[in-house]
């Protein structure tokens, strides 16, 4: 409920106050102007170690610029930016956070367009054609199962397999997974999605606050299967935890876009930072963190073997409707 109230407050920000971001300047002009600005302010929900490593590499490349990082959760970023804007204090230059939050900021006029020359290297469903955002990294939502409790041949292979009696009260789900819910509903079709979620609710899933906690409990044998992040599952597998990927027909992709503030105090430094983060070099670094990336020229095993359905950031436009539908079937 707090998130919906916050969204309501944000959309009250006058759209007429938006200052658009100009078209891409020549690289030499961008560098010269950024040199005068000296700083880029990054707001992000990305892991602190990862965002710091990217910022340090950027500063090594451009020693005349520093990156000041503000790292909090995606919901708190949304609240902070709206509060600062209402107070007339526009501080952030660049944001990297979840797609839904970026959409809210676009709708409220706090994100300006910047079409990076690197954007063309990204999958079409992972960049905005108007230049408002490009996906920096993605989290794939998949089902994991405990290999000590479930034989490989018995692992769910279709989403309907999760609805059989053997899985009742043995499925772990993160609480309030509205994006996953809406994306699976879309992928399965209106009637198929409704039927699946209705019957999934009857399976008495076990709800917990986070994906990593679900994964820990699957590994511990408390649940036989659960909805987790693929990159966290791979980390556990490398530690020899008894968990494996369930071979379901598709995974959902939760993107984390990068966008430039419509009121960026350091717009040239912001654009330079965007170009750097979206470059193949930096995306390869992000890939080394175990993340899934959206550049077409970086091979990735998981996207090659999994069908991926992207969670559309436009879900934010009908979040009240999605929450109401979710609550009909799931907790």
């Amino acid at each position: 409920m707090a998130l919906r109230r916050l969204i309501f407050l944000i959309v009250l920000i006058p759209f007429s106050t938006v200052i658009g971001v100009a078209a891409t300047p020549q690289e030499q002009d961008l560098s010269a102007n950024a040199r005068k600005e000296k700083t880029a302010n990054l707001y992000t929900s990305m892991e602190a170690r990862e965002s710091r490593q990217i910022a340090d590499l950027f500063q090594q490349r451009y020693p005349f610029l520093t990156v000041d990082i503000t790292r909090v959760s995606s919901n708190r970023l949304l609240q902070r930016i709206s509060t600062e804007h209402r107070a007339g204090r526009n501080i952030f230059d660049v944001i990297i956070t979840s797609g839904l939050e970026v959409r809210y900021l676009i709708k409220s006029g706090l994100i300006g367009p910047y079409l990076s020359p690197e954007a063309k290297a990204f999958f079409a469903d992972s960049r905005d054609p108007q230049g408002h955002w490009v996906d920096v990294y993605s989290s794939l939502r998949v089902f994991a199962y405990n290999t000590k409790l479930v034989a490989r041949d018995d692992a769910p292979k279709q989403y309907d397999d999760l609805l059989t009696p053997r899985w009742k009260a043995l499925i772990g789900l993160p609480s309030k997974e509205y994006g996953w819910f809406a994306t699976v509903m879309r992928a399965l079709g209106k009637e198929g999605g409704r039927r699946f979620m209705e019957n999934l609710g009857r399976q008495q899933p076990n709800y917990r606050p986070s994906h990593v906690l679900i994964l820990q409990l699957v590994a511990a044998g408390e649940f036989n299967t659960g909805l987790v992040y693929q990159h966290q599952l791979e980390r556990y597998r490398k530690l020899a935890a008894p968990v494996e990927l369930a071979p379901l027909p598709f995974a959902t992709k939760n993107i984390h876009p990068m966008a430039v503030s419509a009121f960026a105090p350091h717009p040239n430094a912001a654009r330079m930072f965007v170009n750097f983060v979206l470059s193949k070099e930096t995306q390869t670094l992000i890939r080394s963190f175990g993340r899934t990336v959206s550049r077409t020229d970086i091979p990735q095993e998981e996207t090659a073997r999994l069908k991926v359905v992207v969670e559309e950031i436009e879900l934010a436009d009908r979040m009240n409707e999605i929450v109401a539908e979710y609550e009909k079937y799931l907790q």
Side-chain angles (χ1 to χ4, degrees):
M1 296 300 169
L3 176 60
R4 279 184 277 177
R5 287 197 297 272
L6 177 59
I7 296 166
F8 176 74
L9 288 172
I10 289 173
V11 298
L12 291 179
I13 298 170
F15 190 82
S16 61
T17 63
V18 173
I19 301 173
V21 178
T24 308
Q26 294 296 322
E27 184 64 28
Q28 60 270 23
D29 293 336
L30 193 62
S31 179
N33 291 328
R35 187 180 293 270
K36 300 172 187 175
E37 295 169 350
K38 300 181 181 179
T39 300
N41 295 327
L42 170 65
Y43 280 19
T44 186
S45 57
M46 194 176 194
E47 286 187 15
R49 175 184 59 85
E50 297 176 359
S51 57
R52 187 68 263 167
Q53 194 168 341
I54 292 168
D56 288 347
L57 190 62
F58 177 76
Q59 291 171 173
Q60 290 171 21
R61 179 71 55 81
Y62 305 105
F64 55 89
L65 289 172
T66 60
V67 180
D68 289 337
I69 301 174
T70 297
R71 186 202 173 276
V72 294
S73 69
S74 55
N75 283 350
R76 288 180 62 195
L77 274 180
L78 191 65
Q79 184 174 17
R80 179 169 182 152
I81 290 170
S82 62
T83 300
E84 289 174 349
H85 182 72
R86 287 197 298 273
R89 299 175 64 245
N90 298 297
I91 298 172
F92 87 98
D93 293 301
V94 179
I95 188 168
I96 303 173
T97 191
S98 73
L100 298 183
E101 276 71 23
V102 169
R103 179 64 175 179
Y104 297 143
L105 293 172
I106 292 171
K107 293 283 285 185
S108 60
L110 297 178
I111 296 297
Y114 172 55
L115 193 58
S116 169
E118 298 287 347
K120 60 182 180 296
F122 286 70
F123 292 114
D125 60 9
S126 299
R127 54 183 164 88
D128 177 41
Q130 278 73 50
H132 286 96
W133 57 268
V134 181
D135 181 35
V136 170
Y137 68 93
S138 300
S139 298
L140 301 185
R141 295 187 176 111
V142 299
F143 274 85
Y145 67 93
N146 184 297
T147 56
K148 292 183 177 179
L149 301 175
V150 180
R152 182 182 295 271
D153 289 345
D154 294 331
K157 299 173 180 62
Q158 301 294 328
Y159 277 86
D160 278 356
D161 291 346
L162 294 167
L163 307 179
T164 59
R166 67 165 296 154
W167 300 104
K168 190 162 188 176
L170 297 174
I171 300 171
L173 290 180
S175 304
K176 298 178 173 53
E177 250 297 12
Y178 305 129
W180 172 81
F181 171 84
T183 304
V184 171
M185 290 275 282
R186 172 169 60 89
L188 295 177
K190 184 176 181 180
E191 288 305 313
R194 182 200 58 78
R195 181 187 60 79
F196 171 75
M197 292 300 177
E198 183 176 24
N199 286 301
L200 181 62
R202 291 173 179 162
Q203 289 288 71
Q204 300 173 8
N206 299 277
Y207 298 93
R208 295 294 186 273
S210 69
H211 297 81
V212 70
L213 181 55
I214 295 293
L215 179 57
Q216 291 166 353
L217 294 172
V218 171
E222 184 165 335
F223 309 144
N224 283 15
T225 187
L227 182 66
V228 303
Y229 284 136
Q230 186 271 341
H231 67 278
Q232 293 173 342
L233 171 60
E234 289 304 311
R235 291 175 189 171
Y236 271 59
R237 288 181 68 247
K238 289 177 181 177
L239 295 172
V243 288
E244 188 54 83
L245 174 72
L248 293 169
F250 64 86
T252 63
K253 177 179 174 179
N254 172 229
I255 65 173
H256 292 75
M258 167 178 274
V260 176
S261 169
F263 304 91
H266 313 104
N268 297 285
R271 293 167 181 166
M272 284 191 69
F273 186 70
V274 167
N275 294 343
F276 177 80
V277 174
L278 299 181
S279 69
K280 186 174 182 180
E281 175 188 5
T282 309
Q283 287 288 296
T284 301
L285 172 66
I286 294 171
R287 173 65 183 155
S288 75
F289 299 154
R291 299 292 190 177
T292 299
V293 297
S294 295
R295 275 192 72 113
T296 59
D297 54 359
I298 299 178
Q300 297 171 96
E301 180 186 354
E302 65 268 28
T303 54
R305 62 190 171 95
L306 288 173
K307 178 182 177 183
V308 174
V309 179
V310 176
E311 179 181 303
E312 299 170 329
I313 72 171
E314 288 79 11
L315 292 177
D317 299 350
R318 55 186 187 91
M319 187 53 66
N320 289 349
E321 173 192 334
I322 291 169
V323 170
E325 192 168 15
Y326 173 95
E327 291 175 349
K328 289 181 185 177
Y329 310 123
L330 302 175
Q331 180 177 310

